[in-house]
Amino acid sequence: MAGDITTIARPYAEAVFERAKEAGQLDAWSEALALLAGVSSDAQLVAQIGNPTVSRESIRDLILEVCGDALPGEAVNLVKLLAENSRFEAMAEIARLFEERRVADQGVRQVLVRTAFEVDAAQQDALAKALSRRLGGQVNLEVETDSTLIGGVEIRAGDLVIDDSVRSKIKQLAHALQF
């Protein structure tokens, strides 16, 4: 289902990004989408969005009422378009994809680094520099500790995955022994 939501959200996120960039409104759109994602992720609203007896117009009006004057006119138009196409469930993913594209447009790559042990600031700095050279641009590291890796590191930057964890090596060995 997550892939389906991404497929639905991507054209909206791309269109909003292109419009925001053209108008020089990337920050304003970022704030508006974050607000809409927060509102549309509320448990009570999620239940209403999934309820076939509640009209799309009612949900649209509720979202616009909750957001009030915090939404610029074009963001209001996005809410209306999502209502018209019954796509409210994609709002959080639209916001996520927009942010991903905005960061990439600024030449910064989001990189998730998972390690078996804590990584200190000096190690993070060295890793960020090495990844900047490897990926050809500035990187924004998010570091997580995951003891299930046993040892080593797993790095994810978009579609690129570098898995040098002990867990991965054990799985490769187990797979090789099966044949």
Side-chain angles (χ1 to χ4, degrees):
M1 182 66 185
D4 293 340
I5 284 293
T6 300
T7 301
I8 290 167
R10 189 173 315 283
Y12 291 100
E14 290 291 326
V16 168
F17 177 82
E18 291 302 325
R19 177 65 190 129
K21 187 172 180 180
E22 175 186 300
Q25 298 286 321
L26 287 171
D27 290 339
W29 268 102
S30 184
E31 291 173 18
L33 290 172
L35 174 63
L36 286 169
V39 168
S40 65
S41 298
D42 176 77
Q44 291 177 329
L45 188 58
V46 168
Q48 296 304 309
I49 290 170
N51 185 341
T53 63
V54 178
S55 74
R56 297 178 298 199
E57 293 77 18
S58 297
I59 296 168
R60 175 200 65 208
D61 294 344
L62 179 61
I63 290 172
L64 292 175
E65 185 179 323
V66 169
C67 293
D69 294 334
L71 289 182
E74 288 186 326
V76 171
N77 291 342
L78 175 65
V79 172
K80 290 177 180 176
L81 181 65
L82 293 173
E84 190 176 304
N85 295 326
S86 297
R87 298 295 190 212
F88 284 126
E89 75 280 357
M91 190 64 248
E93 186 67 1
I94 292 169
R96 188 190 71 75
L97 291 170
F98 176 89
E99 285 305 312
E100 193 175 88
R101 178 76 193 275
R102 185 172 75 93
V103 169
D105 187 64
Q106 294 170 340
V108 179
R109 302 249 335 239
Q110 292 296 117
V111 179
L112 173 62
V113 177
R114 295 174 62 218
T115 65
F117 304 100
E118 291 290 326
V119 177
D120 66 33
Q123 291 170 320
Q124 285 186 31
D125 189 46
L127 188 56
K129 286 178 182 169
L131 287 170
S132 289
R133 284 191 303 274
R134 165 83 192 269
L135 300 174
Q138 194 176 359
V139 297
N140 183 18
L141 285 187
E142 178 183 341
V143 180
E144 293 179 357
T145 304
D146 181 356
S147 61
T148 66
L149 295 178
I150 304 170
V153 65
E154 179 184 284
I155 300 169
R156 293 179 181 270
D159 293 337
L160 174 69
V161 177
I162 302 169
D163 191 347
D164 195 34
S165 66
V166 173
R167 179 180 67 191
S168 172
K169 292 185 185 330
I170 291 171
K171 283 182 182 178
Q172 289 172 357
L173 181 60
H175 182 71
L177 291 174
Q178 289 178 349
F179 294 103

